[in-house]
Every structure is written in structure tokens, then in C-alpha cells.
Amino acid sequence: MTNYIFDGCDTVKLAEKYGTPLYVISESHIIERIDEIKRDFLDKYPNTKAVYACKALQTVGICKLIDKEGLGFDVVSGGELYTAIRAGVSPSKIVFHGNNKTYDECKMAIDCGVGTIVCDSISELIMLNDLAGEMNKRVEILFRITPGVNSHTHEYISTGHHESKFGISPKILLEGRLLESALSMQNVLLKGFHFHVGSQLTDNSSHIFAVKKLLEFIKEVINITGFIPSELNLGGGYGIQYRDDPPRKPLSYYTDPMMEEIITFCNNENIKLPTVTIEPGRFIVGEAGITLYQVGTIKTTLGGRTFVSVDGGFPDNPRTALYHAKYDAIAIEKMGEPNQSLVTIAGKCCESGDILVWDIPMPELKRGDYIALLSTGAYNYSMSSNYNRIPRPALVMVKEGKDRLSLRRETYEDLISKEIF
Ligand SMILES: Cc1ncc(COP(=O)(O)O)c(C=O)c1O
């Protein structure tokens, strides 16, 4: 019986060497995804950019790796900006997002010279103009618009509808003559528009709908103001494979039809093709990650449900509880053994909702066995917490049979290290 091998590494040996729970991230997977982005988007279309959405998974090490591969970065807080800068990323390659950037965060972003700030509200526009004026700088901005699309994904990760907390409705921008105001401001330079319709979209219809709405809006903008955008940012959201999903679609499934719309529009309107940016996060790191756990208690309820509890859970992966995410899991020492029964993999927290995987067929399991959850690279470590005072797991980078500790496991001492007694 062979153990589960991930990017050339024996996962049982990783669990024994570093302990569990353990985040394992494959460099080869990340590089493969970036190669696909280059082949299917950056090299295929002129004037295109790809920025990695750091919220999916960010460490200094991940930033260095992705920076070396030539991508830019999307950050959404002072902390993400700081981490990218500490990794040596050129600020000009950074796009700064957020529906409520604070004064201090905007100051930090302008001070370090981020390439683009995506403006999410009118009050933010005024703050940016005033702040940049005080700092004797001019900032390049995009407006984030809500294209009015209800994406086929969990409502908490659907972000392009009119009632979203993100962005500004095109109608409000036009009727309030807000573009004219922005264009007359001395310290902001409006370059174009941004949308992000949602995350984990396995169907391209939301992206296509959004780009059509964006282009209709741009036509009106040109007619009313004469402003021709030189940059469009189409966000991220490209889906990956979780349990029971078909294999993920290639990036081109999303980007080709969007580019076709944009190119046709520019030809028809006789305007220059703008710079087009995409912001994938999950697509790059989601399937590059697995999490290793060790089985503890196993029990069957009166109703017949078997709970297999592991040594992690909600604090290292809140996505099942938050979004009803469906992970695949494997017993890494029992590859090839027949499945015996349906089990529910539970975390160790004091929350009934702390379940990692509901009802999954598994081979016979016993205390001490190891389990891997697949496709945990995105929005796991970045969403982790210390709930129940559980230290965060270590994170190991693997590549072609070699492993390297990238983030050490937190200790109990770490848990109290910021307290002032
Ligand atoms: C503005 C923006 N861009 C990009 C992303 C990345 O999304 P995904 O990881 O689904 O590609 C997000 C995710 O929330 C986002 O809010």
C-alpha cells in the first residue's frame, strides 16, 4: 500500500516530521497555474496584467515566489500591503482594494507609491484627493463598479450585485455626475474601472454578463464625459475543483469571451484597447494546498452518523462552516483500500458547526491515522484564527520531493505574547 504523494513528497513523512495539523503548499502547482495565466492571457493578448489576490493566501514566501514569476499583487489592507512590501514587491505592481480603506492605510499606500488604488466610494474619492494633495502626490485610481450580477456561488462570496457592500453602481456614478467630479480633481488620475463579481465561479456567465454591462456603461461614459478608460480590471473569481465538482475549467474559458467582448467593443467604437488586468487568487493557490490532520476520537451517534474527529478544524479552515464548502478528503496511508462507510470529519472546537467534511466515504479509520483535506490552499491559512486558543498550524512548501518549513507552528507562548500583564 503506498502513501499519498503530493508534489513528490510522502505526506505521511511530512505529518511525522512537522506534526499536524499541517498546511502543505506545492510550489509546482502554483508555478503551473501562473504558466497557464501567461500562456492563456498575458502572452495571448497585448497590454494585459495579472495580479495575485493576496487574500487567498499570503506569506512573505508566497509573495516572493509569485513576484519571481512576474505577477503583480492585489492587496486589501495595510497588513497585506506591508507583507508584500516586506517581500520586496515593487509598489508599482500593487493594486490596493477595500470597501473601507482607512485614512492611515491610504496614506501608507500613497506614501509607498502603490500603482493603483481601486476607489470604492465617493467619500473615499474625496479622502484620496485631499490626502494625495497634502502629500504632494497624484494617485492613479480605478472606480469599482457593481455590474448588477447575481453570481451562482454562495451569497457571502457574491460581490457584483447592486446591493453589495463593494463598489459603486454605474447609475449612481452617472446620475451624480461623479465621474466629472473625479476627472476635475487635481490629485487623482482616473484610469478606468474595476469589477469583481464573486468567488469560486465555475460557470463563465457572470463574468461575461459583467463585462457586457461594463462596456455598456463605458459607452455612456464616453458619450457623456468624453472620458476613454485606459485600464479595465476584471477581478478574479475563477473556480477550482472541490469535492463532487467537475475538474476546474481552464482560465481561457473565462478570459477569452471577456477579451472578445472588449476587443470587439474597442474596434466598433474605434478606441484604443485598454490595459486589461485580472486578479486571480483561488485559481493560483487553491488546488496547490492540502491540510494534513491526525484522527482522534471516532464515534457513532444513535442516529447512525459516524464522527471522525481530527486535531484541527474551524480555526485552520472555517470555510465549511462559513460557506458550506465541500472538501474532498483522503486517508493518506490507505490509498487504494476500499471505502467502508460514510463518515463526517469533525474539528475539535466547541462549535457544533465545526465540521470539515460532511458524509464522505472513507476506508476503515482508527485513532492515529492521518487524513488530507484537498484544495485547501486558498482562504484557509488566510482566514485562520486562534479560536479556543488553538495555535495555528505550520506551513510547509513542497516542490518535486523536497520540503521546506515556511511558517513555524504557533506555540502556546505565542498565544499570550501580545498581552500586557
Ligand atoms: C477585488 C477582488 N479581486 C480578486 C479576488 C480574488 O478572488 P478569487 O480568489 O476567487 O480569484 C477577490 C476575492 O474576494 C476580490 O475581492
Side-chain angles (χ1 to χ4, degrees), residues 53 55-56 74 97 144 194 196 198-200 235-238 279-283 379:
K55 61 191 75 98
D74 144 7
H97 277 286
R144 177 167 179 166
H194 167 277
H196 171 74
S199 203
Q200 183 52 14
Y238 318 112
E279 298 176 327
R282 189 191 310 268
F283 180 84
Y379 304 104

Side-chain angles (χ1 to χ4, degrees), residues 95-307:
V95 178
F96 186 35
H97 277 286
N99 68 304
N100 186 23
K101 305 171 191 77
T102 65
Y103 178 87
D104 286 347
E105 286 174 323
C106 290
K107 198 163 173 202
M108 177 180 173
I110 296 172
D111 198 33
C112 75
V114 300
T116 311
I117 299 185
V118 179
C119 183
D120 202 272
S121 67
I122 302 312
S123 65
E124 184 180 295
L125 174 70
I126 295 165
M127 175 168 74
L128 286 173
N129 188 51
D130 290 349
L131 192 52
E134 285 162 25
M135 296 168 79
N136 261 328
K137 302 242 184 163
R138 194 156 194 228
V139 284
E140 296 192 357
I141 64 159
L142 303 178
F143 270 124
R144 177 167 179 166
I145 63 149
T146 49
V149 51
N150 286 313
S151 303
H152 306 291
T153 189
H154 193 279
E155 63 171 310
Y156 290 174
I157 43 177
S158 172
T159 53
H161 53 93
H162 284 312
E163 299 311 312
S164 170
K165 74 166 184 171
F166 301 103
I168 315 169
S169 144
K171 195 168 151 61
I172 292 176
L173 279 175
L174 286 175
E175 288 180 359
R177 301 181 61 79
L178 298 168
L179 291 172
E180 289 87 332
S181 304
L183 290 167
S184 70
M185 286 179 171
Q186 294 296 307
N187 312 311
V188 294
L189 179 63
L190 177 64
K191 305 269 292 191
F193 303 101
H194 167 277
F195 68 69
H196 171 74
V197 284
S199 203
Q200 183 52 14
L201 300 171
T202 51
D203 174 306
N204 62 10
S205 57
S206 299
H207 285 93
I208 298 174
F209 178 89
V211 93
K212 285 184 173 159
K213 287 284 162 199
L214 173 67
L215 295 171
E216 278 169 22
F217 166 64
I218 290 173
K219 194 167 177 162
E220 274 192 86
V221 169
I222 297 174
N223 285 340
I224 296 170
T225 67
F227 169 69
I228 299 173
S230 60
E231 179 156 356
L232 302 180
N233 183 324
L234 312 178
Y238 318 112
I240 63 163
Q241 186 174 31
Y242 290 105
R243 184 172 155 215
D244 298 338
D245 286 335
R248 69 165 183 96
K249 312 266 186 2
L251 182 73
S252 55
Y253 167 74
Y254 304 89
T255 47
D256 279 355
M258 288 199 285
M259 287 309 291
E260 204 178 304
E261 293 285 343
I262 294 171
I263 292 167
T264 308
F265 176 82
C266 291
N267 287 341
N268 290 346
E269 299 300 314
N270 202 15
I271 58 172
K272 202 169 153 248
L273 192 67
T275 300
V276 180
T277 304
I278 56 168
E279 298 176 327
R282 189 191 310 268
F283 180 84
I284 295 176
V285 294
E287 289 175 22
I290 60 172
T291 310
L292 305 181
Y293 299 97
Q294 191 164 34
V295 171
T297 302
I298 301 177
K299 63 180 166 194
T300 301
T301 64
L302 266 183
R305 182 185 294 282
T306 300
F307 284 107

Side-chain angles (χ1 to χ4, degrees), residues 76-89:
V76 75
S77 69
E80 286 188 2
L81 176 57
Y82 180 81
T83 309
I85 298 287
R86 282 296 302 266
V89 171

